[in-house]
Amino acid sequence: MYNPKVSIVIPAYNAANYLAEAIDSALAQTYKNIEIIVVNDGSPDEGKTEKVALSYGDKIRYFSKENGGSSSALNRGIENMTGEWFSWLSHDDLYYPNKVQEEIDYLNSLKLDFDDVDELQKHIVFAAADIIDGNGKIMQKASQKQLKNTSLKINRPDSALYLIAEPTQDGFHGCSCLVHRQAFEKCGKFDENLRLLNDMDLWFRFYKNEYKIHFVPKALVQGRVHKSQVSRSIGFSYHNEEQDMFWPRSLSWLRENYPQRYDLFYIFGKTAFLKTRYIEGEKAFQFALEKKPEKKAELKFKKSYFIAKSKLRSFAKKVYLLIKA
């Protein structure tokens, strides 16, 4: 059986509230060939984050650095890891005890040549997550239907193309990843200029380099939703500098590499319209129309339908937030 060392990297910023829970969930892994790396990203909290980390002694490896964002903290962990595989755990998320074991078992089930590192590093494993609130209460469990649909979508030979065409509908959680360390040498590490889309940007580079994405159809992570998250403090939106880079780049890549694929442009356009990226949606449908002019009436109807649906969703969200407030 393949039994590689796995490095669990935990970037921490003002993390005293949840860091201990995250570390405990890493220490509780049933798979024992692991190391746990905590990187303090310059937390201005009077040493509270550092105190939590140091309380674990030699059970973890601890690094402290000047503040540079989560990407820089993740990259520091990657640069210092001694394991063969990288596993990301945000300080406010949790692993189920079987997270690493399930993913290593999955790799073993693929019957790969584990001595061929060049081929091995092209395989990346993800899984699903249950969503918890700030107090650790489960808000939403991954449904069996969702797990099945995601598995059918991702565990197929050409899944990378569809993950580029449908970038916000992947169905897996970033902290469920298991990535070979050599993949970072081939595709680069996390972009330290990005704060919101650093994970999606890295996945995009894996996809376009024809890495094989695998999905374990189980919830192996608990993803926490709370008020102090970066995406919430900044205010998540599909319209900001990072989104303005991400969407056109993905569409351009599809246009350059798969110009004849009507299905990819249709899926991309649908996703863009639903996420209120109307300019990219319009371009994608125009590219699709070039491939199949006979679909003009259908695409026109679908465009109107998807835009109306996105506006209804946006309105419903505003009403919900107003009521909640």
Side-chain angles (χ1 to χ4, degrees):
M1 294 291 290
Y2 183 51
N3 187 48
K5 186 176 184 180
V6 174
S7 298
I8 300 174
V9 177
I10 306 176
Y13 179 76
N14 289 349
N17 52 351
Y18 297 121
L19 180 58
E21 291 182 58
I23 294 174
D24 288 343
S25 76
L27 289 170
Q29 290 300 293
T30 57
Y31 186 83
K32 297 306 179 183
N33 191 11
I34 63 172
E35 68 172 355
I36 300 168
I37 298 173
V38 176
V39 181
N40 184 353
D41 185 35
S43 301
D45 60 357
E46 301 178 336
K48 294 178 183 178
T49 294
E50 182 167 74
K51 182 179 180 180
V52 172
L54 293 179
S55 71
Y56 285 87
D58 60 6
K59 292 180 181 179
I60 68 169
R61 298 175 63 207
Y62 175 69
F63 297 88
S64 181
K65 57 180 285 298
E66 292 184 359
N67 178 251
S70 62
S71 291
S72 67
L74 286 164
N75 289 343
R76 176 67 66 86
I78 292 167
E79 290 158 6
N80 286 278
M81 59 185 270
T82 62
E84 187 176 355
W85 291 83
F86 162 83
S87 184
W88 169 19
L89 176 57
S90 293
H91 79 261
D92 48 2
D93 292 336
L94 302 171
Y95 282 168
Y96 283 116
N98 59 333
K99 189 270 184 188
V100 176
Q101 185 67 66
E102 289 277 0
E103 294 180 338
I104 296 298
D105 287 347
Y106 188 92
L107 284 174
N108 274 289
S109 74
L110 297 176
K111 302 187 184 303
L112 304 171
D113 181 355
F114 297 114
D115 293 322
D116 185 354
V117 178
D118 284 339
E119 177 58 31
L120 178 62
Q121 59 94 19
K122 292 183 178 179
H123 294 265
I124 296 174
V125 182
F126 288 100
D130 292 329
I131 305 302
I132 60 175
D133 64 15
N135 298 316
K137 181 180 179 181
I138 292 181
M139 301 168 59
Q140 181 180 343
K141 290 186 69 68
S143 69
Q144 290 302 309
K145 180 179 179 181
Q146 173 194 6
L147 294 172
K148 181 179 179 181
N149 290 341
T150 302
S151 181
L152 290 173
K153 181 172 66 175
I154 294 179
N155 293 329
R156 58 182 181 184
D158 58 351
S159 64
L161 292 180
Y162 289 95
L163 289 168
I164 291 176
E166 202 173 14
T168 64
Q169 307 296 318
D170 42 47
F172 56 73
H173 193 279
C175 285
S176 72
C177 73
L178 192 67
V179 181
H180 196 279
R181 64 179 304 148
Q182 191 166 314
F184 298 112
E185 297 176 15
K186 300 287 185 180
C187 300
K189 298 189 287 291
F190 290 90
D191 187 336
E192 298 185 12
N193 294 313
L194 301 179
R195 298 186 67 189
L196 294 171
L197 299 183
N198 53 349
D199 53 349
M200 292 182 66
D201 170 71
L202 181 60
W203 311 154
F204 172 80
R205 282 180 270 138
F206 289 148
Y207 302 155
K208 76 174 187 176
N209 282 285
E210 299 181 348
Y211 277 63
K212 176 56 186 168
I213 310 302
H214 302 279
F215 179 75
V216 178
K218 297 179 180 180
L220 301 180
V221 174
Q222 290 187 334
R224 195 187 303 267
V225 176
H226 59 95
K227 294 180 179 179
S228 58
Q229 286 173 306
V230 172
S231 59
R232 290 201 165 200
S233 61
I234 293 176
F236 183 82
S237 170
Y238 284 104
H239 298 274
N240 53 54
E241 288 184 6
E242 293 183 22
Q243 299 280 2
D244 291 345
M245 172 278 296
F246 182 79
W247 287 87
R249 182 185 65 177
S250 298
L251 181 56
S252 294
W253 188 87
L254 290 174
R255 177 73 164 172
E256 291 169 7
N257 293 275
Y258 294 91
Q260 302 304 318
R261 290 288 297 270
Y262 170 88
D263 59 330
L264 296 179
F265 292 124
Y266 174 79
I267 292 171
F268 186 95
K270 170 186 175 181
T271 308
F273 282 130
L274 289 175
K275 300 303 179 183
T276 69
R277 295 294 308 193
Y278 300 142
I279 293 176
E280 289 81 18
E282 185 73 51
K283 288 181 178 179
F285 268 28
Q286 185 58 46
F287 296 154
L289 184 61
E290 293 173 5
K291 306 295 155 301
K292 294 188 177 183
E294 68 275 14
K295 296 279 189 176
K296 183 176 181 179
E298 179 182 342
L299 288 173
K300 184 177 181 180
F301 170 78
K302 290 290 188 179
K303 169 188 170 182
S304 299
Y305 172 74
F306 293 139
I307 290 177
K309 189 173 182 179
S310 72
K311 290 182 176 180
L312 181 61
R313 283 181 176 178
S314 296
F315 176 76
K317 183 178 180 180
K318 289 179 180 178
V319 171
Y320 170 77
L321 292 175
L322 184 63
I323 295 174
K324 189 175 181 181

